[in-house]
Amino acid sequence: MNSIAILGYGGMGQKVLQALACDHPKDAILVWDPDPVRRKQAESDGARIASSLETLLANPDVRVAFITSPNHTHFPLAQACFRAGKAVFLEKPMAETYTASEQIVQEAEAANAYLQVGFELRYSRLYLWVKEALAAGVLGAVAGIDCRYICSEFHGKGSWRNDPATGGSMFAEKLCHYIDLPRWWLQDEVATVASFSAPNVVPYFKVNDNYRALYRFHKGAVASIHFLMYPAESFDGDPLQNTVSQQPDDGHE
């Protein structure tokens, strides 16, 4: 029986299991995570557990691997999967550096392997509508794109996303979606960029909790992104509370 692997059973790994279980029996899903607590969680969620990464990669029944582990593990895991003949669905960002990202592509090409990076916003109704409107010429020639992303601090104090040592960086981890979208919409690449951050507001963050970036495309359009991880909400209560539940109607889900 063909199996699907999930490498890393944190929040994203759990979401992938839930999504895969819509079309596949859970006993066809094999999970590996170095953390015994997370392995136990995956088992209680109905997945099978791999005894080791080496055993999983050597299993010929495993044809596809979803890499849902922290950013600093993406490159070595993708490399190991390609060399074992697996197709790879890789969470964004591809790797911690541009050079490592290039190497992942080279490894995939050398192995003639399938690789897809998790820019799922390209499949969202909301952003597909923008793409289709631009392609239809509704807005004419685009001169500028402005993105504002303002949210609460939803990662918690202990998250690896808050630590540069484990590949944390909100620009790479989260904002890469909103750098990718203008590139996709305009079918153009960035020529020049400038980016700045103010002092952090979230006290326990080890990475920047705000960014302002301005960048120009080769064909002349200019885009900007404004990111804050501390909304000035008008309601009473904790200003750092999770606001994801307040945004269910934007067409993305």
Side-chain angles (χ1 to χ4, degrees):
M1 179 178 68
N2 289 336
S3 298
I4 304 169
I6 298 175
L7 307 184
Y9 201 68
M12 186 55 67
Q14 294 169 32
K15 289 180 180 179
V16 168
L17 177 65
Q18 292 171 5
L20 290 174
C22 295
D23 299 300
H24 303 276
K26 284 189 177 181
D27 61 4
I29 302 169
L30 197 59
V31 172
W32 176 80
D33 193 297
D35 185 339
V37 174
R38 290 186 172 175
R39 290 199 299 270
K40 187 173 181 180
Q41 177 65 52
E43 189 172 30
S44 68
D45 290 341
R48 289 187 295 138
I49 308 303
S51 58
S52 69
L53 177 61
E54 292 74 21
T55 301
L56 183 151
L57 293 176
N59 185 343
D61 291 336
V62 175
R63 305 288 298 280
V64 178
F66 284 78
I67 299 178
T68 54
S69 52
N71 297 340
H72 70 292
T73 67
H74 286 187
F75 174 67
L77 287 177
Q79 182 182 58
C81 287
F82 293 139
R83 295 183 179 184
K86 315 301 183 188
V88 171
F89 286 84
L90 178 62
E91 270 304 309
K92 50 76 194 162
M94 292 176 67
E96 293 180 274
T97 66
Y98 179 78
T99 299
S101 299
E102 280 193 319
Q103 286 183 272
I104 288 176
V105 174
Q106 292 165 4
E107 290 274 354
E109 291 175 343
N112 195 28
Y114 181 90
L115 167 66
Q116 181 164 333
V117 180
F119 284 124
E120 82 280 358
L121 297 192
R122 293 189 180 201
Y123 301 90
S124 161
R125 293 198 315 273
L126 176 66
Y127 300 112
L128 274 169
W129 180 87
V130 176
K131 174 73 169 174
E132 291 164 359
L134 290 173
V138 172
L139 299 180
V142 177
I145 295 176
D146 179 47
C147 173
R148 300 192 179 198
Y149 192 98
I150 301 174
C151 61
S152 64
E153 201 301 274
F154 52 81
H155 288 149
K157 293 183 180 181
S159 173
W160 61 266
R161 291 178 172 86
N162 299 344
D163 190 345
T166 51
S169 161
M170 288 308 298
F171 207 103
E173 169 64 23
K174 190 66 180 172
L175 302 187
C176 61
H177 277 304
Y178 308 100
I179 301 298
D180 177 66
L181 283 174
R183 292 172 57 246
W184 179 53
W185 287 335
L186 300 178
Q187 293 295 289
D188 199 1
E189 296 296 339
V190 174
T192 56
V193 61
S195 181
F196 304 92
S197 294
N200 275 17
V201 171
V202 181
Y204 50 83
F205 250 46
K206 297 179 183 178
V207 297
N208 293 325
D209 63 11
N210 67 92
Y211 289 99
R212 292 176 186 254
L214 184 68
Y215 51 103
R216 182 188 297 274
F217 288 92
H218 283 286
K219 296 177 185 177
V222 174
S224 65
I225 186 163
H226 179 196
F227 167 74
L228 296 173
M229 208 159 194
Y230 35 87
E233 297 287 5
S234 59
F235 54 77
D236 294 329
D238 180 4
L240 299 183
Q241 69 178 287
N242 191 335
T243 59
V244 173
S245 60
Q246 300 175 33
Q247 304 164 351
D249 59 349
D250 64 1
H252 175 52
E253 291 297 334

Coordinates of all heavy atoms in Angstrom, one line a residue, residues 119-142 145 177 179-189 217 219:
F119 N 3.1 27.6 -1.0 CA 2.5 28.9 -1.2 C 1.0 28.7 -1.5 O 0.6 29.0 -2.7 CB 3.2 29.7 -2.3 CG 4.5 30.3 -1.9 CD1 5.7 30.0 -2.6 CD2 4.6 31.1 -0.9 CE1 6.9 30.5 -2.3 CE2 5.8 31.7 -0.5 CZ 7.0 31.4 -1.2
E120 N 0.3 28.3 -0.5 CA -1.1 27.9 -0.7 C -2.0 29.1 -1.0 O -3.1 28.9 -1.5 CB -1.7 27.1 0.5 CG -2.1 28.0 1.6 CD -1.0 28.4 2.5 OE1 0.2 28.1 2.3 OE2 -1.3 29.2 3.5
L121 N -1.5 30.3 -0.8 CA -2.4 31.5 -1.1 C -2.7 31.6 -2.6 O -3.6 32.2 -3.0 CB -1.7 32.8 -0.7 CG -1.5 32.9 0.8 CD1 -1.1 34.4 1.2 CD2 -2.7 32.5 1.6
R122 N -1.8 30.9 -3.5 CA -2.1 30.9 -4.9 C -3.4 30.1 -5.2 O -3.8 30.2 -6.3 CB -0.9 30.3 -5.6 CG 0.4 31.2 -5.6 CD 1.4 30.6 -6.5 NE 2.6 31.4 -6.5 CZ 3.5 31.4 -7.5 NH1 3.3 30.7 -8.6 NH2 4.6 32.1 -7.5
Y123 N -3.9 29.4 -4.3 CA -5.1 28.6 -4.5 C -6.3 29.1 -3.7 O -7.3 28.5 -3.7 CB -4.8 27.1 -4.1 CG -3.7 26.5 -4.8 CD1 -2.3 26.6 -4.4 CD2 -3.9 25.9 -6.1 CE1 -1.3 26.1 -5.1 CE2 -2.8 25.3 -6.8 CZ -1.5 25.4 -6.3 OH -0.5 24.9 -7.0
S124 N -6.1 30.2 -3.0 CA -7.1 30.9 -2.3 C -8.1 31.6 -3.2 O -7.6 32.3 -4.2 CB -6.5 31.9 -1.3 OG -7.5 32.8 -0.8
R125 N -9.4 31.5 -3.0 CA -10.4 32.2 -3.8 C -10.1 33.7 -3.9 O -10.2 34.3 -4.9 CB -11.8 31.9 -3.3 CG -12.3 30.5 -3.5 CD -13.8 30.5 -3.3 NE -14.3 31.3 -2.2 CZ -14.4 30.9 -1.0 NH1 -14.1 29.6 -0.7 NH2 -14.9 31.6 -0.1
L126 N -9.7 34.2 -2.7 CA -9.5 35.7 -2.6 C -8.4 36.1 -3.6 O -8.6 37.0 -4.4 CB -9.1 36.0 -1.2 CG -8.8 37.5 -0.9 CD1 -9.9 38.4 -1.1 CD2 -8.2 37.6 0.5
Y127 N -7.2 35.4 -3.5 CA -6.1 35.9 -4.3 C -6.2 35.4 -5.7 O -5.6 36.1 -6.6 CB -4.8 35.4 -3.6 CG -4.7 36.0 -2.2 CD1 -4.8 35.1 -1.1 CD2 -4.5 37.3 -2.0 CE1 -4.7 35.7 0.2 CE2 -4.4 37.9 -0.7 CZ -4.5 37.0 0.4 OH -4.5 37.5 1.6
L128 N -6.8 34.3 -6.0 CA -7.1 33.9 -7.4 C -8.0 34.9 -8.1 O -7.8 35.2 -9.3 CB -7.8 32.5 -7.4 CG -6.9 31.3 -7.4 CD1 -7.7 30.1 -7.2 CD2 -6.0 31.2 -8.7
W129 N -8.9 35.5 -7.4 CA -9.8 36.5 -8.0 C -8.9 37.7 -8.4 O -9.1 38.3 -9.5 CB -10.8 37.0 -6.9 CG -11.7 38.1 -7.5 CD1 -12.9 37.9 -8.2 CD2 -11.5 39.5 -7.4 NE1 -13.4 39.1 -8.6 CE2 -12.6 40.1 -8.1 CE3 -10.6 40.3 -6.8 CZ2 -12.7 41.5 -8.1 CZ3 -10.7 41.7 -6.8 CH2 -11.8 42.2 -7.5
V130 N -8.0 38.1 -7.5 CA -7.1 39.3 -7.9 C -6.3 38.9 -9.2 O -6.2 39.7 -10.1 CB -6.1 39.6 -6.7 CG1 -5.2 40.7 -7.1 CG2 -6.9 40.0 -5.5
K131 N -5.7 37.7 -9.2 CA -5.0 37.3 -10.3 C -5.8 37.3 -11.6 O -5.3 37.8 -12.7 CB -4.4 35.8 -10.1 CG -3.7 35.2 -11.2 CD -2.4 35.8 -11.5 CE -1.6 34.9 -12.5 NZ -0.3 35.5 -12.8
E132 N -7.0 36.8 -11.5 CA -7.9 36.8 -12.7 C -8.3 38.2 -13.2 O -8.4 38.5 -14.4 CB -9.1 35.9 -12.4 CG -8.8 34.5 -12.3 CD -9.9 33.7 -11.6 OE1 -10.9 34.3 -11.2 OE2 -9.8 32.5 -11.4
A133 N -8.5 39.1 -12.2 CA -8.9 40.4 -12.5 C -7.7 41.2 -13.2 O -7.9 41.9 -14.2 CB -9.3 41.2 -11.3
L134 N -6.5 40.9 -12.7 CA -5.4 41.6 -13.4 C -5.2 41.0 -14.8 O -4.9 41.7 -15.7 CB -4.1 41.3 -12.5 CG -4.1 42.1 -11.2 CD1 -2.9 41.6 -10.4 CD2 -4.0 43.6 -11.4
A135 N -5.3 39.7 -14.9 CA -5.1 39.1 -16.2 C -6.1 39.5 -17.3 O -5.9 39.6 -18.4 CB -5.1 37.5 -16.1
A136 N -7.3 39.9 -16.8 CA -8.4 40.3 -17.6 C -8.3 41.8 -18.0 O -9.1 42.4 -18.7 CB -9.8 40.1 -17.0
G137 N -7.3 42.5 -17.4 CA -7.1 43.9 -17.7 C -8.0 44.8 -17.0 O -8.1 46.0 -17.3
V138 N -8.7 44.3 -15.9 CA -9.7 45.2 -15.2 C -9.0 46.4 -14.6 O -9.6 47.5 -14.6 CB -10.4 44.3 -14.1 CG1 -11.3 45.2 -13.2 CG2 -11.2 43.2 -14.7
L139 N -7.8 46.3 -14.1 CA -7.1 47.4 -13.5 C -6.1 48.1 -14.4 O -5.4 49.0 -14.0 CB -6.4 46.9 -12.2 CG -7.3 46.3 -11.1 CD1 -6.5 45.9 -9.9 CD2 -8.4 47.3 -10.7
G140 N -6.0 47.6 -15.6 CA -5.0 48.2 -16.5 C -3.6 47.8 -16.1 O -3.4 46.8 -15.4
A141 N -2.6 48.6 -16.5 CA -1.2 48.4 -16.1 C -1.0 48.7 -14.6 O -1.3 49.8 -14.2 CB -0.3 49.2 -16.9
V142 N -0.5 47.8 -13.8 CA -0.4 48.0 -12.4 C 0.9 48.8 -12.1 O 2.0 48.4 -12.5 CB -0.3 46.6 -11.7 CG1 -0.1 46.9 -10.2 CG2 -1.6 45.9 -11.9
I145 N 1.5 48.1 -5.7 CA 0.8 47.2 -4.8 C 1.2 47.4 -3.4 O 2.4 47.5 -3.1 CB 1.1 45.7 -5.2 CG1 0.6 45.4 -6.6 CG2 0.5 44.7 -4.2 CD1 1.0 44.0 -7.1
H177 N 4.8 34.9 1.9 CA 3.5 34.8 1.1 C 3.2 36.1 0.3 O 2.8 36.0 -0.8 CB 2.4 34.5 2.1 CG 2.2 33.1 2.5 ND1 2.0 32.1 1.6 CD2 2.1 32.6 3.7 CE1 1.9 30.9 2.3 NE2 1.9 31.2 3.6
I179 N 5.2 38.5 -0.4 CA 6.2 38.9 -1.5 C 5.9 38.0 -2.7 O 6.1 38.5 -3.8 CB 7.7 38.6 -0.9 CG1 7.9 39.5 0.3 CG2 8.7 38.9 -2.0 CD1 7.8 41.0 0.1
D180 N 5.6 36.8 -2.5 CA 5.3 35.9 -3.6 C 4.1 36.3 -4.4 O 4.1 36.3 -5.6 CB 5.1 34.5 -3.1 CG 4.7 33.5 -4.2 OD1 5.6 33.3 -5.1 OD2 3.6 33.0 -4.2
L181 N 3.0 36.8 -3.7 CA 1.8 37.1 -4.4 C 2.0 38.2 -5.5 O 1.5 38.0 -6.6 CB 0.7 37.5 -3.4 CG 0.0 36.4 -2.7 CD1 -0.9 37.0 -1.6 CD2 -0.7 35.5 -3.6
P182 N 2.6 39.4 -5.2 CA 2.8 40.3 -6.3 C 3.7 39.8 -7.4 O 3.4 40.2 -8.6 CB 3.5 41.5 -5.5 CG 3.0 41.4 -4.1 CD 3.0 39.9 -3.9
R183 N 4.7 39.0 -7.1 CA 5.5 38.4 -8.2 C 4.6 37.5 -9.1 O 4.7 37.6 -10.3 CB 6.6 37.5 -7.6 CG 7.6 38.3 -6.8 CD 8.6 37.3 -6.1 NE 9.2 36.4 -7.0 CZ 9.0 35.0 -7.0 NH1 8.2 34.5 -6.1 NH2 9.7 34.3 -7.8
W184 N 3.7 36.8 -8.5 CA 2.8 35.9 -9.2 C 1.8 36.7 -10.0 O 1.5 36.4 -11.2 CB 2.1 35.0 -8.2 CG 1.1 34.0 -8.8 CD1 1.3 33.1 -9.8 CD2 -0.2 33.8 -8.3 NE1 0.2 32.4 -10.0 CE2 -0.8 32.8 -9.1 CE3 -1.0 34.4 -7.3 CZ2 -2.1 32.3 -9.0 CZ3 -2.3 33.9 -7.1 CH2 -2.8 32.9 -8.0
W185 N 1.2 37.7 -9.3 CA 0.2 38.5 -10.0 C 0.8 39.2 -11.2 O 0.2 39.3 -12.3 CB -0.4 39.6 -9.0 CG -1.3 39.0 -8.0 CD1 -2.0 37.9 -8.1 CD2 -1.5 39.6 -6.7 NE1 -2.8 37.7 -6.9 CE2 -2.5 38.8 -6.1 CE3 -1.1 40.8 -6.1 CZ2 -3.0 39.1 -4.8 CZ3 -1.6 41.0 -4.8 CH2 -2.5 40.2 -4.2
L186 N 2.0 39.8 -11.1 CA 2.6 40.6 -12.1 C 3.4 39.8 -13.1 O 3.8 40.4 -14.1 CB 3.4 41.8 -11.5 CG 2.7 42.7 -10.6 CD1 3.7 43.7 -10.0 CD2 1.6 43.4 -11.3
Q187 N 3.7 38.6 -12.7 CA 4.7 37.8 -13.5 C 6.0 38.5 -13.8 O 6.5 38.7 -14.9 CB 4.0 37.4 -14.9 CG 2.8 36.4 -14.7 CD 3.3 35.1 -14.2 OE1 3.9 34.3 -14.9 NE2 2.9 34.8 -12.9
D188 N 6.5 39.0 -12.6 CA 7.7 39.8 -12.7 C 8.6 39.5 -11.5 O 8.1 39.0 -10.5 CB 7.4 41.3 -12.8 CG 8.5 42.2 -13.3 OD1 9.6 41.6 -13.6 OD2 8.3 43.4 -13.4
E189 N 9.9 39.9 -11.5 CA 10.8 39.6 -10.4 C 11.2 41.0 -9.8 O 11.3 42.0 -10.5 CB 12.0 38.8 -10.8 CG 11.6 37.4 -11.3 CD 11.0 36.5 -10.2 OE1 11.2 36.9 -9.0 OE2 10.3 35.6 -10.5
F217 N 9.9 46.2 -9.1 CA 10.0 45.1 -10.0 C 10.8 45.6 -11.3 O 10.9 46.8 -11.6 CB 8.7 44.6 -10.4 CG 8.0 43.9 -9.3 CD1 7.1 44.5 -8.4 CD2 8.2 42.5 -9.2 CE1 6.5 43.8 -7.4 CE2 7.6 41.8 -8.2 CZ 6.7 42.4 -7.3
K219 N 10.0 45.5 -14.4 CA 9.2 46.2 -15.3 C 8.7 47.5 -14.8 O 7.9 48.2 -15.5 CB 8.0 45.3 -15.8 CG 8.4 44.0 -16.5 CD 7.2 43.2 -16.8 CE 7.6 41.8 -17.4 NZ 6.4 41.0 -17.7

